[in-house]
Amino acid sequence: MKKLFIWTECFNCTEIAIPMLESFIHHHSNLEINVYCFCKEFCEFGRLDSRIKLRSLDNSIKNRVYKRDEKGVRRGYKSRSHLGTARAWANIIANNEADFYLHLDADQIFLANVIDEIVLRLSEGFDFVGTRRPYFHRSYRKTGRDAVALDKMPDAVNTDLLGFSRKVIGNLWSPLAVRRIRGRRTSTRPVIDFFDPIFFRALDRGAKVFYLDSADSAPRGETNFDSVYYHSRILF
């Protein structure tokens, strides 16, 4: 049986996570979710369903050295929000052994079960499962020195509802790991957003992707906002 690890993070914003968690539990009766926030924020949740696990970041010496402990994440959020989130992701993934990981943004409400197909596609051998993040059909960065390169790249996947395999993540203790998760380029290849360098690095090594909203479209397709994966959630 493959091990699945589901998580969300709500550092400095626990109030937005509570409605999401309630809707997740209501529509996904057999799943647990791990909720990461700062230790001092645990008391803000009150009584929770037993399948909701409040978690703190690993504060081992190794994570402190790499600035991925709670102090490093807090400082990351104070300087740039994506830096704090990237440090948290590196900590969470590296310190929780699983075959598959599933990340959910805290600022959404579930109207139906959207997790089962993600788990199914991961078990079928896909390495990334999520909604499409268009590159060719993007509405921004259409000019400039990066535009031609971005036009030639396949679409990435959004991270608000994202399943991925552990084997494609690479070395999370690399000095470049947080930079890649954060969505900063580590080569001449441009990227658009958070986690994209991890995605494209894995694609270069043969990883497979399943676009939930538009599985029948080409690798450079368009987002299908009429798909069940958009109608089954309220996104903020």
Side-chain angles (χ1 to χ4, degrees), residues 4-72:
L4 172 69
F5 183 85
I6 303 175
W7 95 91
T8 189
E9 69 282 335
C10 52
F11 300 98
N12 298 322
C13 58
T14 56
E15 67 280 359
I16 69 171
I18 294 173
M20 184 277 279
L21 293 171
E22 291 174 348
S23 67
F24 175 87
I25 291 298
H26 179 73
H27 292 289
H28 306 90
S29 59
N30 61 335
L31 296 174
E32 291 185 352
I33 183 169
N34 299 277
V35 183
Y36 284 85
C37 59
F38 294 125
C39 291
K40 70 175 186 179
E41 296 174 319
F42 282 13
C43 62
E44 297 176 13
F45 283 94
R47 188 173 182 178
L48 294 171
D49 187 280
S50 61
R51 289 178 289 131
I52 300 173
K53 311 296 183 183
L54 293 183
R55 304 284 299 276
S56 59
L57 295 169
D58 185 283
N59 286 315
S60 64
I61 293 175
K62 193 171 186 179
N63 279 301
R64 293 202 299 270
V65 168
Y66 280 80
K67 299 180 180 180
R68 301 173 183 178
D69 60 330
E70 181 165 311
K71 183 178 180 180

Side-chain angles (χ1 to χ4, degrees), residues 49-167:
D49 187 280
S50 61
R51 289 178 289 131
I52 300 173
K53 311 296 183 183
L54 293 183
R55 304 284 299 276
S56 59
L57 295 169
D58 185 283
N59 286 315
S60 64
I61 293 175
K62 193 171 186 179
N63 279 301
R64 293 202 299 270
V65 168
Y66 280 80
K67 299 180 180 180
R68 301 173 183 178
D69 60 330
E70 181 165 311
K71 183 178 180 180
V73 169
R74 189 184 301 276
R75 287 181 172 177
Y77 277 112
K78 286 182 178 179
S79 60
R80 299 173 184 87
S81 60
H82 272 13
L83 176 58
T85 304
R87 287 176 174 176
W89 276 44
N91 183 308
I92 292 165
I93 300 168
N95 291 285
N96 290 282
E97 288 294 327
D99 300 293
F100 305 133
Y101 295 86
L102 204 162
H103 173 261
L104 307 173
D105 274 4
D107 56 344
Q108 60 184 313
I109 302 293
F110 295 99
L111 305 176
N113 184 323
V114 298
I115 304 301
D116 284 356
E117 186 174 3
I118 297 176
V119 176
L120 172 64
R121 300 303 180 181
L122 289 170
S123 66
E124 289 177 342
F126 289 97
D127 299 298
F128 295 94
V129 183
T131 56
R132 186 182 295 271
R133 177 180 289 161
Y135 263 60
F136 181 76
H137 291 285
R138 67 194 182 280
S139 59
Y140 44 87
R141 290 172 70 181
K142 300 293 288 184
T143 60
R145 64 179 183 178
D146 289 340
V148 174
L150 291 171
D151 284 346
K152 296 177 180 179
M153 295 170 65
D155 296 329
V157 283
N158 292 310
T159 56
D160 58 322
L161 178 68
L162 172 64
F164 57 92
S165 170
R166 176 64 182 87
K167 66 182 181 181

